[in-house]
Amino acid sequence: MNIGFVISSVHKERRVSLLPENISDDIKHSIYIEKGFGRTMGIEDQLYIEKGAIVLSKAEVYAKCEVIFTLKAPPKEDYILFRKGQLLIGLLLPDTEGVEFYAGIAKEKDLRLLDLDLRVFQYGNRKQFIEEIPSDLLWKNSFNAGFSAVMHALMSFGYYPSSASKIAVLGNGNVAQGAYQALIKLGADVRMFYRKTLPAFYNEIDRFDMIVNGIALEWGAVPIISKEQQKKIKKSCFVIDAAANVDRAIQGSRYTFLDNPIYEENGVYFYAVNNTPSVFYRNSSQAFGEAIANNILKLNFDRFFK
């Protein structure tokens, strides 16, 4: 099977999803790489060629490969490159961030989607959970998302927490753990609240200097922090949505971007960048590449075309 890796066009995305050292002889597929694929890491195309990969233009990769790997749902300018029936793999989130992509070109071109975050294969109206994909496949990426979100948010906000800073971290998953580790390293006074202990958080929501969300909800779920509850947050509080779960975890919130990461509303500051692992993109690329090579590239892709 021909598998093509293309450069993500997401704003300020710098991660490289496959490094030359991740390509080994036990990968039975043919690997195609877009020209300049590793440029953010200073990796020359020749290093991929020496490992057996074939380097082509983006259009040529799409034309040659049955399977396309991309970090996030591709931009509209790439839609023309898709061939009917191709398999697209990545952090696609067809029910949330990638909903426009799925409702448009994915259906038009009869594309098959394998979302690594949800571990779900989707084709037409059919969805299937893929058990062969480990549940902890991307735990390092999620941990990095939480860690990176906090570090980037603090630098952007010009705020260095101390032991006198009262900080709440919501959740106990990998994103929340990454955020907690970043704050602890800075010597902050941090309390973690899980779903069962959120009532205690609500009782003290007006005490915190910072609130970091690490919980992701589906559309339609009851928000973690409703608009009514946000009225109780004290002025100048910094709310970091490390899970980038906009308008769900924190009702009414909206995405921000790496070069414009913070907005203010009613005296409260919000951060909700959705590709924070790109902040420490070298660490994230190493973890991502290992996970893809050791798990995804060893799948039998024929099953997705039958």
Side-chain angles (χ1 to χ4, degrees):
M1 191 75 69
N2 295 338
I3 304 178
F5 286 78
V6 296
I7 300 170
S8 173
S9 299
V10 173
H11 183 64
K12 297 289 185 178
E13 179 60 74
R14 305 188 73 182
R15 285 174 291 176
V16 177
S17 52
L18 190 73
L19 305 178
E21 57 262 36
N22 302 138
I23 304 174
S24 60
D25 293 336
D26 60 344
I27 296 174
K28 304 306 180 184
H29 307 289
S30 298
I31 304 298
Y32 289 77
I33 301 291
E34 180 184 349
K35 290 178 182 178
F37 184 72
R39 64 172 177 258
T40 58
M41 296 274 288
I43 301 171
E44 296 180 359
D45 291 340
Q46 183 61 33
L47 293 178
Y48 286 103
I49 294 172
E50 291 172 1
K51 297 294 288 189
I54 300 169
V55 177
L56 299 172
S57 69
K58 177 178 283 190
E60 290 172 323
V61 171
Y62 272 96
K64 193 75 175 178
C65 297
E66 298 88 359
V67 181
I68 299 293
F69 191 99
T70 179
L71 274 168
K72 295 289 186 79
K76 289 183 178 179
E77 56 263 32
D78 287 359
Y79 288 3
I80 193 173
L81 300 175
F82 281 107
R83 292 187 291 116
K84 192 174 182 66
Q86 282 178 308
L87 170 64
L88 186 67
I89 303 176
L91 305 176
L92 307 176
L93 301 176
D95 295 326
T96 52
E97 290 179 34
V99 66
E100 182 180 356
F101 166 77
Y102 183 70
I105 193 66
K107 288 190 174 181
E108 179 184 328
K109 291 290 185 74
D110 201 28
L111 299 180
R112 297 159 167 85
L113 306 180
L114 180 58
D115 183 84
L116 300 183
D117 192 50
L118 302 175
R119 300 158 63 208
V120 167
F121 171 67
Q122 187 164 343
Y123 180 51
N125 294 323
R126 178 187 176 189
K127 293 184 180 181
Q128 182 178 346
F129 185 73
I130 306 301
E131 294 182 355
E132 296 95 316
I133 300 178
S135 59
D136 62 347
L137 175 73
L138 299 177
W139 79 267
K140 286 185 179 179
N141 187 70
S142 298
F143 183 93
N144 288 342
F147 190 95
S148 301
V150 166
M151 298 299 286
H152 183 249
L154 292 175
M155 288 289 293
S156 303
F157 194 51
Y159 177 67
Y160 188 93
S162 67
S163 57
S165 306
K166 302 300 180 184
I167 302 175
V169 173
L170 311 182
N172 63 346
N174 294 320
V175 173
Q177 292 292 340
Y180 179 81
Q181 287 296 322
L183 291 163
I184 288 297
K185 288 180 182 296
L186 295 172
D189 177 11
V190 187
R191 287 183 62 187
M192 295 191 76
F193 295 90
Y194 313 134
R195 291 179 189 256
K196 290 184 178 180
T197 59
L198 282 175
F201 164 71
Y202 297 139
N203 288 336
E204 303 180 56
I205 194 171
D206 59 341
R207 297 181 58 247
F208 295 106
D209 303 298
M210 280 180 56
I211 299 170
V212 183
N213 173 60
I215 300 173
L217 301 176
E218 296 296 328
W219 288 112
V222 176
I224 300 296
I225 305 178
S226 68
K227 288 185 177 180
E228 193 63 30
Q229 290 163 333
Q230 290 174 45
K231 295 178 181 179
K232 300 178 183 179
I233 296 175
K234 72 178 184 180
K235 301 298 183 184
S236 78
C237 179
F238 191 21
V239 179
I240 302 172
D241 189 355
N245 198 233
V246 297
D247 200 26
R248 283 167 283 163
I250 302 170
Q251 190 177 24
S253 63
R254 59 182 185 270
Y255 284 125
T256 58
F257 304 94
L258 287 173
D259 55 2
N260 188 23
I262 299 169
Y263 68 90
E264 178 269 334
E265 202 167 84
N266 299 321
V268 177
Y269 296 86
F270 294 87
Y271 174 103
V273 174
N274 72 343
N275 60 328
T276 53
S278 286
V279 174
F280 295 108
Y281 61 93
R282 294 182 181 275
N283 303 73
S284 297
S285 296
Q286 290 172 352
F288 210 98
E290 290 174 5
I292 298 306
N294 295 334
N295 297 278
I296 304 306
L297 291 185
K298 295 181 179 179
L299 290 175
N300 177 9
F301 293 107
D302 289 335
R303 62 180 292 188
F304 301 116
F305 292 90
K306 293 179 179 177

